[in-house]
mmCIF file of all heavy atoms in Angstrom:
data_model
loop_
_atom_site.group_PDB
_atom_site.id
_atom_site.type_symbol
_atom_site.label_atom_id
_atom_site.label_comp_id
_atom_site.label_asym_id
_atom_site.label_seq_id
_atom_site.Cartn_x
_atom_site.Cartn_y
_atom_site.Cartn_z
ATOM 1 N N GLY H 132 183.867 99.025 58.789
ATOM 2 C CA GLY H 132 183.022 99.872 57.966
ATOM 3 C C GLY H 132 181.560 99.790 58.360
ATOM 4 O O GLY H 132 180.661 100.013 57.557
ATOM 5 N N GLY H 133 181.289 99.442 59.624
ATOM 6 C CA GLY H 133 179.906 99.365 60.081
ATOM 7 C C GLY H 133 179.259 98.007 59.853
ATOM 8 O O GLY H 133 178.093 97.821 60.181
ATOM 9 N N GLU H 134 179.992 97.059 59.281
ATOM 10 C CA GLU H 134 179.433 95.726 59.012
ATOM 11 C C GLU H 134 180.191 94.681 59.800
ATOM 12 O O GLU H 134 181.375 94.838 60.100
ATOM 13 C CB GLU H 134 179.545 95.393 57.519
ATOM 14 C CG GLU H 134 179.010 96.454 56.590
ATOM 15 C CD GLU H 134 177.491 96.494 56.543
ATOM 16 O OE1 GLU H 134 176.859 95.504 56.934
ATOM 17 O OE2 GLU H 134 176.944 97.524 56.122
ATOM 18 N N VAL H 135 179.525 93.554 60.068
ATOM 19 C CA VAL H 135 180.182 92.466 60.789
ATOM 20 C C VAL H 135 181.202 91.804 59.869
ATOM 21 O O VAL H 135 180.885 91.438 58.739
ATOM 22 C CB VAL H 135 179.142 91.420 61.258
ATOM 23 C CG1 VAL H 135 179.840 90.239 61.915
ATOM 24 C CG2 VAL H 135 178.146 92.050 62.198
ATOM 25 N N GLN H 136 182.441 91.644 60.338
ATOM 26 C CA GLN H 136 183.470 91.034 59.487
ATOM 27 C C GLN H 136 183.833 89.614 59.917
ATOM 28 O O GLN H 136 184.349 88.840 59.136
ATOM 29 C CB GLN H 136 184.740 91.895 59.493
ATOM 30 C CG GLN H 136 185.449 91.916 60.847
ATOM 31 C CD GLN H 136 186.761 92.688 60.796
ATOM 32 O OE1 GLN H 136 187.766 92.204 60.287
ATOM 33 N NE2 GLN H 136 186.742 93.890 61.360
ATOM 34 N N GLU H 137 183.581 89.293 61.164
ATOM 35 C CA GLU H 137 183.993 87.982 61.661
ATOM 36 C C GLU H 137 182.985 87.486 62.667
ATOM 37 O O GLU H 137 182.712 88.161 63.657
ATOM 38 C CB GLU H 137 185.386 88.108 62.306
ATOM 39 C CG GLU H 137 185.959 86.802 62.864
ATOM 40 C CD GLU H 137 186.084 85.721 61.807
ATOM 41 O OE1 GLU H 137 186.933 85.862 60.905
ATOM 42 O OE2 GLU H 137 185.319 84.738 61.879
ATOM 43 N N THR H 138 182.410 86.312 62.390
ATOM 44 C CA THR H 138 181.361 85.822 63.284
ATOM 45 C C THR H 138 181.871 84.769 64.249
ATOM 46 O O THR H 138 181.111 84.245 65.046
ATOM 47 C CB THR H 138 180.196 85.218 62.471
ATOM 48 O OG1 THR H 138 180.708 84.180 61.644
ATOM 49 C CG2 THR H 138 179.540 86.282 61.625
ATOM 50 N N SER H 139 183.158 84.475 64.160
ATOM 51 C CA SER H 139 183.716 83.495 65.086
ATOM 52 C C SER H 139 184.430 84.232 66.204
ATOM 53 O O SER H 139 185.383 84.974 65.968
ATOM 54 C CB SER H 139 184.695 82.579 64.352
ATOM 55 O OG SER H 139 185.633 82.044 65.252
ATOM 56 N N LYS H 140 183.970 84.029 67.418
ATOM 57 C CA LYS H 140 184.582 84.682 68.573
ATOM 58 C C LYS H 140 186.057 84.323 68.653
ATOM 59 O O LYS H 140 186.915 85.170 68.910
ATOM 60 C CB LYS H 140 183.874 84.187 69.855
ATOM 61 C CG LYS H 140 183.213 85.293 70.652
ATOM 62 C CD LYS H 140 182.736 84.847 72.002
ATOM 63 C CE LYS H 140 181.606 83.852 71.950
ATOM 64 N NZ LYS H 140 181.026 83.607 73.295
ATOM 65 N N LYS H 141 186.311 83.072 68.398
ATOM 66 C CA LYS H 141 187.677 82.563 68.495
ATOM 67 C C LYS H 141 188.612 83.327 67.575
ATOM 68 O O LYS H 141 189.698 83.738 67.982
ATOM 69 C CB LYS H 141 187.643 81.066 68.108
ATOM 70 C CG LYS H 141 188.944 80.325 68.317
ATOM 71 C CD LYS H 141 188.803 78.866 67.933
ATOM 72 C CE LYS H 141 188.936 78.736 66.419
ATOM 73 N NZ LYS H 141 188.811 77.350 65.930
ATOM 74 N N ASN H 142 188.178 83.536 66.324
ATOM 75 C CA ASN H 142 189.037 84.213 65.352
ATOM 76 C C ASN H 142 189.336 85.644 65.747
ATOM 77 O O ASN H 142 190.438 86.142 65.554
ATOM 78 C CB ASN H 142 188.401 84.177 63.955
ATOM 79 C CG ASN H 142 188.503 82.794 63.334
ATOM 80 O OD1 ASN H 142 189.159 81.915 63.878
ATOM 81 N ND2 ASN H 142 187.851 82.622 62.208
ATOM 82 N N VAL H 143 188.324 86.310 66.273
ATOM 83 C CA VAL H 143 188.537 87.702 66.677
ATOM 84 C C VAL H 143 189.576 87.770 67.792
ATOM 85 O O VAL H 143 190.527 88.563 67.735
ATOM 86 C CB VAL H 143 187.209 88.342 67.142
ATOM 87 C CG1 VAL H 143 187.470 89.724 67.703
ATOM 88 C CG2 VAL H 143 186.213 88.420 66.000
ATOM 89 N N LEU H 144 189.406 86.938 68.768
ATOM 90 C CA LEU H 144 190.315 86.981 69.919
ATOM 91 C C LEU H 144 191.727 86.572 69.525
ATOM 92 O O LEU H 144 192.713 87.144 70.020
ATOM 93 C CB LEU H 144 189.774 86.075 71.025
ATOM 94 C CG LEU H 144 188.472 86.602 71.640
ATOM 95 C CD1 LEU H 144 187.793 85.538 72.487
ATOM 96 C CD2 LEU H 144 188.729 87.834 72.489
ATOM 97 N N LYS H 145 191.814 85.642 68.596
ATOM 98 C CA LYS H 145 193.138 85.221 68.130
ATOM 99 C C LYS H 145 193.840 86.390 67.440
ATOM 100 O O LYS H 145 195.034 86.614 67.644
ATOM 101 C CB LYS H 145 192.964 84.038 67.154
ATOM 102 C CG LYS H 145 194.192 83.161 67.032
ATOM 103 C CD LYS H 145 193.878 81.764 66.532
ATOM 104 C CE LYS H 145 193.457 81.812 65.067
ATOM 105 N NZ LYS H 145 193.692 80.535 64.350
ATOM 106 N N ALA H 146 193.094 87.119 66.626
ATOM 107 C CA ALA H 146 193.677 88.248 65.897
ATOM 108 C C ALA H 146 194.216 89.292 66.864
ATOM 109 O O ALA H 146 195.308 89.839 66.670
ATOM 110 C CB ALA H 146 192.626 88.862 64.965
ATOM 111 N N ILE H 147 193.455 89.555 67.909
ATOM 112 C CA ILE H 147 193.893 90.554 68.890
ATOM 113 C C ILE H 147 195.155 90.081 69.599
ATOM 114 O O ILE H 147 196.107 90.844 69.798
ATOM 115 C CB ILE H 147 192.773 90.811 69.923
ATOM 116 C CG1 ILE H 147 191.562 91.423 69.256
ATOM 117 C CG2 ILE H 147 193.261 91.699 71.036
ATOM 118 C CD1 ILE H 147 191.769 92.844 68.818
ATOM 119 N N GLU H 148 195.129 88.822 69.914
ATOM 120 C CA GLU H 148 196.279 88.232 70.603
ATOM 121 C C GLU H 148 197.551 88.394 69.775
ATOM 122 O O GLU H 148 198.596 88.820 70.275
ATOM 123 C CB GLU H 148 195.974 86.752 70.816
ATOM 124 C CG GLU H 148 196.653 86.111 71.992
ATOM 125 C CD GLU H 148 196.265 84.637 72.057
ATOM 126 O OE1 GLU H 148 195.064 84.339 71.864
ATOM 127 O OE2 GLU H 148 197.171 83.819 72.258
ATOM 128 N N GLN H 149 197.435 88.072 68.511
ATOM 129 C CA GLN H 149 198.597 88.157 67.625
ATOM 130 C C GLN H 149 199.076 89.585 67.491
ATOM 131 O O GLN H 149 200.290 89.848 67.483
ATOM 132 C CB GLN H 149 198.244 87.605 66.235
ATOM 133 C CG GLN H 149 197.827 86.155 66.230
ATOM 134 C CD GLN H 149 199.025 85.214 66.318
ATOM 135 O OE1 GLN H 149 200.110 85.613 66.725
ATOM 136 N NE2 GLN H 149 198.814 83.976 65.923
ATOM 137 N N ALA H 150 198.113 90.490 67.378
ATOM 138 C CA ALA H 150 198.491 91.901 67.239
ATOM 139 C C ALA H 150 199.194 92.378 68.511
ATOM 140 O O ALA H 150 200.180 93.119 68.445
ATOM 141 C CB ALA H 150 197.252 92.740 66.947
ATOM 142 N N ASP H 151 198.676 91.954 69.653
ATOM 143 C CA ASP H 151 199.326 92.335 70.910
ATOM 144 C C ASP H 151 200.751 91.822 70.962
ATOM 145 O O ASP H 151 201.661 92.536 71.400
ATOM 146 C CB ASP H 151 198.535 91.774 72.096
ATOM 147 C CG ASP H 151 197.273 92.581 72.389
ATOM 148 O OD1 ASP H 151 197.147 93.682 71.820
ATOM 149 O OD2 ASP H 151 196.434 92.111 73.176
ATOM 150 N N LEU H 152 200.943 90.592 70.489
ATOM 151 C CA LEU H 152 202.283 90.016 70.479
ATOM 152 C C LEU H 152 203.214 90.831 69.591
ATOM 153 O O LEU H 152 204.374 91.068 69.923
ATOM 154 C CB LEU H 152 202.240 88.584 69.944
ATOM 155 C CG LEU H 152 201.848 87.494 70.951
ATOM 156 C CD1 LEU H 152 201.745 86.144 70.251
ATOM 157 C CD2 LEU H 152 202.884 87.413 72.077
ATOM 158 N N LEU H 153 202.655 91.268 68.490
ATOM 159 C CA LEU H 153 203.461 92.000 67.523
ATOM 160 C C LEU H 153 203.968 93.324 68.099
ATOM 161 O O LEU H 153 204.978 93.854 67.660
ATOM 162 C CB LEU H 153 202.621 92.258 66.261
ATOM 163 C CG LEU H 153 203.389 92.426 64.953
ATOM 164 C CD1 LEU H 153 204.338 91.263 64.742
ATOM 165 C CD2 LEU H 153 202.421 92.523 63.802
ATOM 166 N N GLN H 154 203.226 93.839 69.069
ATOM 167 C CA GLN H 154 203.659 95.085 69.692
ATOM 168 C C GLN H 154 204.965 94.891 70.442
ATOM 169 O O GLN H 154 205.699 95.856 70.656
ATOM 170 C CB GLN H 154 202.586 95.609 70.653
ATOM 171 C CG GLN H 154 201.451 96.289 69.940
ATOM 172 C CD GLN H 154 200.639 97.189 70.872
ATOM 173 O OE1 GLN H 154 199.453 97.273 70.724
ATOM 174 N NE2 GLN H 154 201.265 97.856 71.796
ATOM 175 N N GLU H 155 205.213 93.637 70.829
ATOM 176 C CA GLU H 155 206.434 93.373 71.587
ATOM 177 C C GLU H 155 207.673 93.420 70.700
ATOM 178 O O GLU H 155 208.766 93.719 71.140
ATOM 179 C CB GLU H 155 206.352 92.000 72.259
ATOM 180 C CG GLU H 155 205.117 91.817 73.125
ATOM 181 C CD GLU H 155 205.071 92.799 74.274
ATOM 182 O OE1 GLU H 155 206.120 93.059 74.878
ATOM 183 O OE2 GLU H 155 203.966 93.332 74.550
ATOM 184 N N VAL H 156 207.454 93.109 69.437
ATOM 185 C CA VAL H 156 208.592 93.089 68.500
ATOM 186 C C VAL H 156 209.065 94.507 68.258
ATOM 187 O O VAL H 156 208.286 95.412 67.996
ATOM 188 C CB VAL H 156 208.150 92.440 67.155
ATOM 189 C CG1 VAL H 156 209.244 92.559 66.128
ATOM 190 C CG2 VAL H 156 207.742 91.007 67.403
ATOM 191 N N ARG H 157 210.321 94.741 68.322
ATOM 192 C CA ARG H 157 210.816 96.110 68.265
ATOM 193 C C ARG H 157 210.647 96.725 66.884
ATOM 194 O O ARG H 157 210.196 97.834 66.723
ATOM 195 C CB ARG H 157 212.292 96.131 68.662
ATOM 196 C CG ARG H 157 212.759 97.519 68.991
ATOM 197 C CD ARG H 157 214.055 97.426 69.827
ATOM 198 N NE ARG H 157 214.825 98.648 69.699
ATOM 199 C CZ ARG H 157 214.558 99.775 70.378
ATOM 200 N NH1 ARG H 157 213.526 99.815 71.173
ATOM 201 N NH2 ARG H 157 215.313 100.836 70.204
ATOM 202 N N TYR H 158 211.046 95.982 65.861
ATOM 203 C CA TYR H 158 210.884 96.506 64.506
ATOM 204 C C TYR H 158 210.253 95.436 63.640
ATOM 205 O O TYR H 158 210.542 94.267 63.779
ATOM 206 C CB TYR H 158 212.223 96.901 63.887
ATOM 207 C CG TYR H 158 212.798 98.136 64.501
ATOM 208 C CD1 TYR H 158 213.874 98.060 65.384
ATOM 209 C CD2 TYR H 158 212.255 99.385 64.231
ATOM 210 C CE1 TYR H 158 214.391 99.197 65.963
ATOM 211 C CE2 TYR H 158 212.775 100.530 64.807
ATOM 212 C CZ TYR H 158 213.834 100.433 65.685
ATOM 213 O OH TYR H 158 214.342 101.546 66.251
ATOM 214 N N LEU H 159 209.447 95.869 62.760
ATOM 215 C CA LEU H 159 208.843 94.916 61.834
ATOM 216 C C LEU H 159 209.800 94.675 60.688
ATOM 217 O O LEU H 159 210.460 95.574 60.210
ATOM 218 C CB LEU H 159 207.543 95.504 61.269
ATOM 219 C CG LEU H 159 206.444 95.731 62.281
ATOM 220 C CD1 LEU H 159 205.375 96.610 61.699
ATOM 221 C CD2 LEU H 159 205.860 94.408 62.724
ATOM 222 N N PHE H 160 209.876 93.423 60.239
ATOM 223 C CA PHE H 160 210.741 93.127 59.093
ATOM 224 C C PHE H 160 209.877 93.222 57.859
ATOM 225 O O PHE H 160 209.040 92.372 57.616
ATOM 226 C CB PHE H 160 211.348 91.737 59.231
ATOM 227 C CG PHE H 160 212.099 91.581 60.529
ATOM 228 C CD1 PHE H 160 211.608 90.761 61.545
ATOM 229 C CD2 PHE H 160 213.278 92.294 60.745
ATOM 230 C CE1 PHE H 160 212.296 90.641 62.736
ATOM 231 C CE2 PHE H 160 213.956 92.159 61.950
ATOM 232 C CZ PHE H 160 213.464 91.333 62.944
#
Side-chain angles (χ1 to χ4, degrees):
Chain H
E134 309 285 341
V135 176
Q136 67 176 284
E137 181 58 69
T138 57
S139 155
K140 240 190 293 189
K141 187 179 81 180
N142 286 352
V143 174
L144 292 167
K145 203 158 70 155
I147 296 289
E148 207 181 317
Q149 299 281 19
D151 283 348
L152 278 176
L153 206 52
Q154 282 199 216
E155 306 298 320
V156 173
R157 196 161 156 80
Y158 288 105
L159 295 166
F160 304 110

